[in-house]
Amino acid sequence: MLLNAIIVNCLTHLKMAYLLSLSLSKSSKSTLLVGSLTVFSRLLGFWRDVLIAQYFGATLATDAFFAAFRFPNLLRRLFAEGAFSQVFVPTLTHYKAQKTTRELEQMIHKIASHLTLLMLIITFCGVMIAPVLILVSAGGFHWQSEQHQLATQLLQIMLPYGFFITLTAFMGSILNTHSQYAVPALTPALLNMAMIGATLWLTPYFQQPIIALAVGVFIGGVMQLALQMFALHQLHLLPKLQRNVENSATQHIMNRMLPTLFTNSATQINFLANTLIASFLATGSVSWLYYADRLLELPSGILGSALTTIMLPKLATHFAHQETEKFSQTLDWGLHFTALLGVPATIGLVFLAEPILSVLFCSTQFTPHDVHAAAQALSAYAIGLIGFLVVKVLTPAFTTCHIHSVAVRYTWICLGINLALALILAQPFAHVGIALASTLATSLNAALLLFFLWRKQLYTPLKTWRVFSLQILFSSVMLIETLRYFSNFASWSAFYLIKCVMVGVASYFAGLFLSGYFYTDNKK
């Protein structure tokens, strides 16, 4: 019943996205296509987390798993959600335009060889120092305690996933550059499928059942890489490993890789710092933050990843041809779309945090106390959703314009502020203070990036923002009043939650219609 309710909810959003696409530009339709394909993966992700909550709850074992999972998950978000593409796609676009097909193929082969060797070394070293990595990510787990040893074992099983996902992201970038968006968008679903299968069928075979989840992560990485390789083989673009990996393109990409990864990883490093601090708090704190983060991934993953995927090749092309106005318009379009869908998503998550968590996760293992604690964290995270999306939209502009050092400097500043605020706010507000610190730091990062681009005249807001802001405000008020009316009811079920979401979505788009959004020229 719960899965059916989630499916109905997703289908409703897909139908609304289709109706909206009729009045949007080609770029908007491409974004909706990628986002719609990503819905399937997010649906499986919710099902995966529901099973984890029902099978394992919020215990010492789940805290150990989520602390260990932070490292492979960090690599997944860095590489699979756009950071690698922001370095590789502009270079590949340049080669496609100015080099021969053979030179393009040679460049791809050399980078693939370089990445394979580099990630093999990193993975081996990571497995060897896994106990130290757990100490870094979860210092609250006492050294050599049962929880620390379990987390170390889980991390050693899952670390090879970082190798698989790096090569998966590299191959997905090649597909995206050739306008093949479907396979990279659907690939994350395989990880969720593997973890679901491991939870359902492998847990009885382990003395410590949580180990089955780590095995599922490993299997998921193999499946993801295999799918990308098959897709590239069909297009005759499958990279070949070579001994000589040195060339100018390889050096160019590798020299820009680390600062770009660090810039794009600000939010993920925040989450890693959050896990470290949460490990010193009450049992379950790490799990509560994880589940809150997972729900935040629905709008941030679908919208943020889709926008980055579609915008990056366009920004690279406009910059290469010195089309300053079109470059600015592409950024404006990304910010426009962020506000259009990010604002209602923020409102919905804040008002419906506890009902959503209750319907999805509440069970004998994941108690109402766990639901309430995770809901508090989700509300704090949700306030910073717009800031997170703005960082995702603006970061490719810094990479494309070769000014990523500026974004790196802002990232350092905001990471320091996040850590300081988390240490300060965790004392009076426990895990909620940690989430709030992440929100404040991410929002500041977004403001700094936006101000810099505006000051350097790389981005100039269109005059339509004044009218558009009023339209968003009017529609948001209608949505808030609708959710306030529904929140007066004490009993929540899956059916009632779906009904509330559907009515809320309808009220928001009704507000857009009444305010003239669909028949005014402010969407270009």
Side-chain angles (χ1 to χ4, degrees):
M1 287 294 295
L2 177 57
L3 180 59
N4 291 336
I6 297 175
I7 292 174
V8 170
N9 187 19
C10 289
L11 289 177
T12 300
H13 281 79
L14 286 175
K15 180 179 179 181
M16 188 62 69
Y18 170 75
L19 293 176
L20 178 61
S21 71
L22 297 179
S23 64
L24 295 177
S25 65
K26 182 178 180 180
S27 296
S28 301
K29 292 179 181 179
S30 299
T31 303
L32 289 174
L33 171 63
V34 176
S36 298
L37 291 174
T38 308
V39 166
F40 176 65
S41 174
R42 299 299 173 177
L43 175 62
L44 288 177
F46 275 125
W47 187 17
R48 178 195 80 187
D49 290 333
V50 168
L51 290 177
I52 293 175
Q54 292 178 346
Y55 273 68
F56 307 108
T59 63
L60 290 174
T62 54
D63 278 2
F65 173 80
F66 293 135
F69 191 50
R70 280 298 182 194
F71 287 99
N73 203 38
L74 174 65
L75 292 173
R76 176 184 68 83
R77 291 183 174 181
L78 288 183
F79 291 108
E81 296 185 4
F84 184 86
S85 297
Q86 290 170 27
V87 177
F88 181 65
V89 170
T91 303
L92 186 57
T93 301
H94 171 77
Y95 262 65
K96 284 181 64 179
Q98 301 187 14
K99 304 292 183 179
T100 65
T101 301
R102 179 172 178 78
E103 288 176 319
L104 175 64
E105 292 176 350
Q106 285 298 313
M107 186 266 288
I108 291 175
H109 297 333
K110 290 181 183 296
I111 293 177
S113 303
H114 196 113
L115 274 180
T116 300
L117 177 61
L118 178 64
M119 291 309 300
L120 281 175
I121 295 173
I122 291 176
T123 301
F124 176 78
C125 294
V127 171
M128 297 301 295
I129 64 170
V132 179
L133 293 178
I134 293 299
L135 189 64
V136 171
S137 67
F141 299 169
H142 298 295
W143 179 259
Q144 293 300 319
S145 66
E146 179 181 355
Q147 191 175 26
H148 179 270
Q149 291 178 345
L150 176 60
T152 299
Q153 183 181 4
L154 293 170
L155 178 58
Q156 289 172 331
I157 296 172
M158 292 187 289
L159 267 177
Y161 179 79
F163 169 80
F164 298 131
I165 197 60
T166 302
L167 295 181
T168 297
F170 168 69
M171 296 181 183
S173 298
I174 300 174
L175 291 171
N176 285 333
T177 307
H178 288 79
S179 301
Q180 300 293 320
Y181 300 121
V183 170
L186 287 174
T187 297
L190 298 180
L191 174 64
N192 294 325
M193 293 171 63
M195 294 181 70
I196 289 171
T199 302
L200 293 175
W201 299 310
L202 296 184
T203 49
Y205 297 97
F206 292 93
Q207 184 176 4
Q208 179 59 264
I210 199 75
I211 294 178
L213 275 179
V215 175
V217 172
F218 181 93
I219 296 173
V222 175
M223 293 170 60
Q224 288 178 318
L225 181 58
L227 178 61
Q228 301 293 308
M229 294 177 66
F230 176 77
L232 287 176
H233 177 73
Q234 295 296 104
L235 295 174
H236 305 288
L237 296 172
L238 186 63
K240 298 177 182 178
L241 299 183
Q242 299 179 345
R243 291 185 179 180
N244 181 14
V245 299
E246 296 300 328
N247 81 338
S248 58
T250 303
Q251 284 299 118
H252 176 71
I253 287 179
M254 293 305 164
N255 289 339
R256 295 171 58 196
M257 178 68 73
L258 288 179
T260 303
L261 288 178
F262 185 79
T263 301
N264 202 62
S265 66
T267 301
Q268 310 315 321
I269 296 176
N270 284 345
F271 285 137
L272 193 62
N274 293 346
T275 301
L276 173 62
I277 298 173
S279 67
F280 290 92
L281 302 178
T283 298
S285 296
V286 175
S287 299
W288 298 331
L289 289 172
Y290 170 81
Y291 286 113
D293 175 33
R294 286 292 296 152
L295 280 175
L296 190 70
E297 282 186 26
L298 178 61
S300 65
I302 293 176
L303 184 57
S305 297
L307 284 170
T308 302
T309 300
I310 302 301
M311 289 177 60
L312 184 57
K314 297 181 180 298
L315 289 173
T317 301
H318 296 325
F319 181 78
H321 292 87
Q322 298 183 342
E323 298 172 335
T324 306
E325 184 176 353
K326 290 184 178 179
F327 187 91
S328 176
Q329 289 176 353
T330 301
L331 286 176
D332 196 87
W333 169 83
L335 294 172
H336 174 105
F337 218 78
T338 295
L340 180 66
L341 298 183
V343 170
T346 298
I347 295 172
L349 287 174
V350 170
F351 274 85
L352 301 177
E354 191 156 344
I356 292 173
L357 283 159
S358 178
V359 169
L360 290 175
F361 302 125
C362 191
S363 64
T364 54
Q365 297 294 326
F366 200 83
T367 65
H369 170 70
D370 295 324
V371 168
H372 180 69
Q376 290 178 314
L378 176 57
S379 296
Y381 274 141
I383 299 172
L385 175 61
I386 294 295
F388 174 81
L389 291 174
V390 169
V391 171
K392 294 278 283 186
V393 168
L394 297 183
T395 298
F398 285 80
T399 305
T400 304
C401 296
H402 311 299
I403 51 175
H404 48 272
S405 60
V406 176
V408 170
R409 183 168 67 251
Y410 291 155
T411 300
W412 273 106
I413 294 173
C414 293
L415 282 177
I417 292 175
N418 174 76
L419 182 59
L421 288 176
L423 291 171
I424 294 172
L425 297 177
Q427 187 67 27
F429 303 113
H431 67 287
V432 181
I434 296 175
L436 185 58
S438 181
T439 287
L440 294 174
T442 303
S443 300
L444 176 61
N445 192 18
L448 290 173
L449 295 176
L450 185 61
F451 178 75
F452 179 87
L453 291 175
W454 172 78
R455 185 165 57 87
K456 294 297 183 179
Q457 297 182 340
L458 292 170
Y459 167 63
T460 303
L462 296 178
K463 296 179 180 179
T464 54
W465 271 96
R466 182 177 300 177
V467 174
F468 174 65
S469 299
L470 293 175
Q471 292 168 336
I472 292 294
L473 177 61
F474 177 75
S475 303
S476 298
V477 170
M478 290 189 63
L479 174 59
I480 291 172
E481 291 303 316
T482 300
L483 295 181
R484 285 181 59 188
Y485 173 78
F486 274 90
S487 63
N488 291 329
F489 294 87
S491 178
W492 287 92
S493 63
F495 175 78
Y496 190 80
L497 177 60
I498 296 297
K499 178 182 177 182
C500 179
V501 171
M502 292 175 63
V503 174
V505 170
S507 68
Y508 180 75
F509 282 95
L512 290 176
F513 178 80
L514 293 174
S515 62
Y517 174 80
F518 292 106
Y519 44 88
T520 53
D521 187 23
N522 61 356
K523 301 179 286 300
K524 295 182 180 181

